[in-house]
Amino acid sequence: MYSVPTQFTSAGKSGIEAMLTIANTAFSGIERLAALNLNTARMLLEEGAATTKSALAIKDMQELLSLQTSLT
């Protein structure tokens, strides 16, 4: 039988630890990006709902012009 030198086993363990560190860092970044995307989508949905409510409450041309000005 062959005996595996401890240098090879320790190098293998170091490689695996480095790979796990990189994977954890990547997943952390992906998780933060997903949270940012969800928060942005939520904010856009809330703004769209508020704009729609404002548009539905318009009764005259002056309110329409005021809404258009505020949106730009």
Side-chain angles (χ1 to χ4, degrees):
M1 294 299 273
Y2 297 103
S3 64
V4 179
T6 57
Q7 292 173 338
F8 289 123
T9 57
S10 66
K13 288 179 184 178
S14 297
I16 290 173
E17 289 175 7
M19 181 186 67
L20 289 174
T21 302
I22 291 170
N24 285 333
T25 304
F27 282 125
S28 175
I30 291 169
E31 182 180 36
R32 288 170 34 220
L33 180 62
L36 180 63
N37 285 337
L38 287 173
N39 288 336
T40 301
R42 182 179 295 122
M43 181 187 68
L44 290 174
L45 180 64
E46 289 171 357
E47 286 179 3
T51 302
T52 302
K53 286 179 184 178
S54 297
L56 292 174
I58 292 175
K59 295 181 179 139
D60 62 6
M61 198 59 148
Q62 184 62 31
E63 289 180 6
L64 176 62
L65 292 174
S66 176
L67 178 63
Q68 284 180 331
T69 303
S70 69
L71 291 176
T72 58

